Amino acid sequence: MKKIINDPDKVVQDMIKGFVAAYPNDVKQLPNTTGIVRKEAPFSNKVGLVSGGGSGHEPAHAGYVGQGLLDAAVAGEVFTSPTPDQLIEAIKAVDGGAGVFLIIKNYTGDILNFEMAAELAEAEGIEVDKVVVNDDVAVEDSSFTSGRRGIAGTVFVHKIAGAKAEQGASLQDVKQTAQKVVANVRSMGVALSSCTVPAAGKPSFELADDEMEIGIGIHGEPGIERKQIGSADDIAAELTKKILEDNKLTKNDDVAVMVNGLGSTPEMELYIVNGKVQELLAEKGINVYKTFVGEYMTSLEMAGCSVTFLKLDHELKELLDAESNAPAFRAK
Amino acid sequence: MKKIINDPDKVVQDMIKGFVAAYPNDVKQLPNTTGIVRKEAPFSNKVGLVSGGGSGHEPAHAGYVGQGLLDAAVAGEVFTSPTPDQLIEAIKAVDGGAGVFLIIKNYTGDILNFEMAAELAEAEGIEVDKVVVNDDVAVEDSSFTSGRRGIAGTVFVHKIAGAKAEQGASLQDVKQTAQKVVANVRSMGVALSSCTVPAAGKPSFELADDEMEIGIGIHGEPGIERKQIGSADDIAAELTKKILEDNKLTKNDDVAVMVNGLGSTPEMELYIVNGKVQELLAEKGINVYKTFVGEYMTSLEMAGCSVTFLKLDHELKELLDAESNAPAFRAK
């Protein structure tokens, strides 16, 4: 295991220390938790936004804490859900009186723990609502999930719900908009290599030297098929086809595209994939409104990428474009 | 070689196609070249900024083309200098009458080719000046370089010279400010693994399973020492110490810090390194004005990181903070 760490059992706390040290004017760590919160939170009469999940997906989730995005992100251990007692602290910290909205990726552990935290918060008189993101079209049901998994499309939910909340929308309206994003966002990924959870010390799974896995999850959950590595064009075509079959985009639809690196795939390769994806969308007369290429939702040092399409209407475009200020959301 | 590419000999052109397709409203490809230029260039009476270098360092250099940053970036083949005939096209394309400024990393091939292009441009009546970035404190002279190598600190030169040019400064003033950055920026890196140039098909060098190389260059040029992998804290301490010995930062100095990933090191690890770097600077009473953590200047899928310190005065702070708009420069 070649990693730049101190103690495999302390990677999350060391990371949080280094994260807060990087942006001390913008964020703070919630005392005795793994939660990162906007420094000025809570914001009076603004819906507070909380997300989080296992660590190892950096820049998700703390990288999306900022103005026009999340108010708090809670990190679990690597590939492990944050606990309800950590989540409730984050909920309390961002409650400015307009309620708190939770953005949850669809993994059984995350759902359980976020829901438990929501119940605890409600018992304390905080109004809480939530959305569950399940953008991965690869498989129904998976190792850690009932139904579809939540992957990189979650970043669009963060951004758009974040912009909506920043405008002063009610909890109900933030939820409605977030649900619209969930209903219109679809993703699928491919891996060329595994990754190593620091505390485990060995790769989560093995792929042969000439193999890739199509439809893999961001924790290495099985995908659709293992086969010989294809060309970038073939991979782009396969992912694009699967997503389009699912969300039924048609001519003149407007979309946002994300080509997301899983950890160790060079940006050069992500742009090569993007070239083909854009060509395929153009052939179908689908309009690309905005493109995001980079690492937005990773799996430690996994090699591979995912492709996400979000169908946009006027509201979603405006919210996607709205000003934001968080370390990891590259506006262009 | 596990890569998401089509043809190893066409990675650069495929990447450029995908890059332009991602930001069609902002950039264009110079016809028949590997140059990326701001779509509205040239800008009348603004000094035009051109950088570039071998591919494989993405997001450098095209990712820094945008308002308040570069006007053009020219990509060579992987780890190979762009040619003078490509560079001259970029120079001509960004010449708005106030001259063109070249930002060159100190590699012999880059120097030769940029200088030849400058001569060609001057022969056509375009005023050209340049700065050579040599921020790597690891070694004097190297495989491809006489003197110190230029590495991640170059991104600060792009940002600050870009902001100066955007303000309407003269060619001479842009040069003076860029030289001030070069005089005050120092970096050093460490690698845990090699990388594979697509056309070569095998790793550029080998590192044993428990080895790291301190002071490595961004093309895998030899560093100071190969030794057993240390902890993140040890690595941070060694890089910080070497840089501080060189640039003699003292108590109450203000600096910008960059912890840059070389390609496949998870952001989690970069933040862990940052935590220790910030602690060490605080112990010395050095003030961190702004921190940048992420992939800014990579070496394909090399594992490892570099640390950069830029000593700041009032002018440099203002220019570092100035608004900019390019895909890869994360403002926070």
Side-chain angles (χ1 to χ4, degrees):
Chain A
M1 177 174 66
K2 289 193 124 171
K3 289 188 185 285
I4 308 181
I5 60 175
N6 293 309
D7 178 341
D9 294 323
K10 292 190 178 147
V11 290
V12 175
Q13 69 187 67
D14 282 359
M15 168 178 71
I16 286 171
K17 174 184 139 194
F19 187 88
V20 175
Y23 317 112
N25 301 323
D26 303 303
V27 298
K28 61 188 176 196
Q29 179 177 6
L30 281 176
N32 305 314
T33 79
T34 53
I36 298 278
V37 183
R38 283 172 71 183
K39 203 162 181 184
E40 312 299 335
F43 299 91
S44 184
N45 295 321
K46 187 188 95 68
V47 170
L49 251 67
V50 177
S51 189
S55 294
H57 304 302
E58 291 67 34
H61 302 82
Y64 302 111
V65 173
Q67 197 214 328
L69 270 152
L70 304 178
D71 295 292
V74 185
E77 289 301 310
V78 176
F79 293 176
T80 303
S81 298
T83 56
D85 58 311
Q86 306 246 11
L87 289 163
I88 178 74
E89 294 304 322
I91 292 170
K92 288 197 277 189
V94 307
D95 173 37
V100 175
F101 189 67
L102 310 178
I103 299 170
I104 315 171
K105 297 196 298 313
N106 190 33
Y107 298 100
T108 305
D110 283 14
I111 302 274
L112 278 172
N113 290 350
F114 274 85
E115 281 184 352
M116 197 174 298
E119 280 171 31
L120 294 169
E122 277 160 0
E124 296 195 30
I126 302 172
E127 202 186 353
V128 179
D129 212 333
K130 66 173 197 287
V131 73
V132 175
V133 189
N134 59 350
D135 55 316
D136 188 348
V137 304
V139 294
E140 293 294 331
D141 301 331
S142 185
S143 317
F144 314 115
T145 318
S146 167
R148 288 179 168 185
R149 302 174 296 224
I151 58 172
T154 309
V155 177
F156 284 139
V157 185
H158 291 162
K159 175 63 181 79
I160 288 170
K164 189 79 180 177
E166 196 76 35
Q167 289 180 351
S170 69
L171 184 58
Q172 197 183 338
D173 287 348
V174 170
K175 179 178 180 150
Q176 198 168 30
T177 298
Q179 278 179 324
K180 184 159 68 173
V181 180
V182 171
N184 285 287
V185 68
R186 298 288 189 283
S187 306
M188 194 161 124
V190 59
L192 272 64
S193 79
S194 183
C195 60
T196 298
V197 174
K202 59 183 176 52
S204 305
F205 59 97
E206 298 286 345
L207 274 171
D209 277 351
D210 62 345
E211 258 184 348
M212 63 178 181
E213 180 149 342
I214 296 275
I216 198 150
I218 55 173
H219 313 93
E221 304 95 315
I224 298 172
E225 192 185 3
R226 271 188 191 201
K227 57 181 178 183
Q228 207 174 358
I229 298 179
S231 69
D233 283 358
D234 288 347
I235 289 170
E238 183 160 359
L239 298 180
T240 299
K241 180 164 177 280
K242 280 277 182 190
I243 301 170
L244 292 185
E245 276 170 12
D246 196 89
N247 71 350
K248 308 204 189 324
L249 291 170
T250 54
K251 198 170 166 172
N252 296 325
D253 279 345
D254 293 324
V255 297
V257 171
M258 178 178 283
V259 179
N260 169 59
L262 293 182
S264 66
T265 286
E267 202 167 286
M268 167 187 277
E269 298 175 32
L270 302 180
Y271 278 111
I272 293 175
V273 169
N274 181 58
K276 185 66 181 180
V277 167
Q278 302 274 345
E279 195 180 293
L280 293 165
L281 293 176
E283 278 170 15
K284 293 193 180 294
I286 296 165
N287 305 318
V288 177
Y289 180 71
K290 208 163 199 171
T291 302
F292 301 79
V293 178
E295 294 186 342
Y296 291 89
M297 178 74 73
T298 65
S299 304
L300 294 168
E301 71 283 2
M302 191 182 284
C305 68
S306 65
V307 172
T308 299
F309 301 148
L310 168 63
K311 183 178 169 180
L312 297 167
D313 63 7
H314 179 74
E315 184 198 18
L316 297 188
K317 285 181 200 172
E318 202 173 87
L319 294 168
L320 186 62
D321 288 343
E323 208 181 320
S324 65
N325 183 10
F329 193 80
R330 301 201 227 174
K332 171 151 333 152
Chain B
M1 178 173 66
K2 289 194 123 170
K3 289 187 184 288
I4 308 180
I5 59 176
N6 294 308
D7 178 342
D9 294 322
K10 292 190 179 146
V11 290
V12 175
Q13 70 187 67
D14 281 0
M15 169 179 70
I16 286 171
K17 174 183 140 195
F19 187 87
V20 174
Y23 317 113
N25 301 322
D26 303 302
V27 298
K28 61 189 175 194
Q29 180 177 6
L30 282 176
N32 305 314
T33 80
T34 53
I36 298 278
V37 183
R38 282 172 71 184
K39 203 164 181 183
E40 312 299 334
F43 299 91
S44 184
N45 295 320
K46 187 187 95 68
V47 170
L49 250 68
V50 177
S51 190
S55 294
H57 305 302
E58 291 68 34
H61 301 81
Y64 302 112
V65 173
Q67 197 215 328
L69 269 152
L70 304 177
D71 295 292
V74 185
E77 289 301 311
V78 177
F79 292 176
T80 303
S81 299
T83 55
D85 58 311
Q86 306 245 11
L87 289 163
I88 178 74
E89 293 305 321
I91 292 170
K92 288 197 276 188
V94 306
D95 173 36
V100 175
F101 189 67
L102 310 179
I103 298 171
I104 315 171
K105 296 197 297 313
N106 190 33
Y107 298 99
T108 305
D110 283 13
I111 302 273
L112 278 172
N113 290 349
F114 274 85
E115 281 184 351
M116 197 174 298
E119 281 170 29
L120 293 169
E122 277 160 359
E124 296 196 29
I126 302 172
E127 202 185 354
V128 179
D129 212 333
K130 67 172 196 287
V131 72
V132 176
V133 189
N134 59 350
D135 55 316
D136 187 348
V137 304
V139 294
E140 294 294 331
D141 302 331
S142 186
S143 317
F144 314 116
T145 319
S146 167
R148 287 179 169 184
R149 301 173 297 223
I151 58 173
T154 309
V155 177
F156 284 138
V157 185
H158 291 162
K159 174 64 181 78
I160 288 171
K164 189 80 180 177
E166 197 76 35
Q167 289 181 350
S170 69
L171 184 58
Q172 197 184 336
D173 287 348
V174 171
K175 180 178 180 150
Q176 197 167 30
T177 297
Q179 279 180 324
K180 183 159 69 173
V181 180
V182 171
N184 285 287
V185 68
R186 299 287 190 284
S187 306
M188 194 159 125
V190 59
L192 272 63
S193 79
S194 183
C195 60
T196 298
V197 174
K202 59 181 177 50
S204 305
F205 60 97
E206 297 287 345
L207 274 171
D209 276 352
D210 62 345
E211 259 184 345
M212 63 178 179
E213 181 150 340
I214 296 275
I216 198 151
I218 55 173
H219 313 93
E221 305 95 315
I224 298 171
E225 194 185 2
R226 270 189 192 202
K227 56 183 178 183
Q228 206 173 358
I229 298 180
S231 70
D233 284 357
D234 289 346
I235 289 170
E238 183 160 358
L239 299 180
T240 299
K241 180 165 177 279
K242 281 276 182 191
I243 301 171
L244 292 185
E245 276 170 11
D246 196 89
N247 71 350
K248 308 204 189 322
L249 291 170
T250 54
K251 198 170 166 174
N252 296 325
D253 279 345
D254 293 324
V255 297
V257 171
M258 178 179 283
V259 179
N260 168 60
L262 293 182
S264 66
T265 287
E267 202 167 287
M268 167 185 278
E269 298 176 32
L270 303 180
Y271 277 111
I272 293 176
V273 169
N274 181 58
K276 186 64 182 181
V277 167
Q278 302 274 345
E279 195 179 293
L280 293 165
L281 293 176
E283 278 171 16
K284 293 194 180 295
I286 296 165
N287 305 317
V288 177
Y289 180 72
K290 209 162 199 172
T291 302
F292 300 80
V293 178
E295 294 186 342
Y296 291 90
M297 177 76 73
T298 65
S299 304
L300 295 167
E301 71 283 1
M302 191 182 284
C305 68
S306 64
V307 172
T308 299
F309 300 148
L310 168 63
K311 184 177 168 181
L312 296 166
D313 63 7
H314 179 74
E315 184 198 19
L316 297 188
K317 284 181 200 172
E318 203 173 87
L319 294 168
L320 186 62
D321 287 343
E323 207 181 320
S324 65
N325 183 10
F329 194 80
R330 299 202 228 175
K332 170 152 339 153

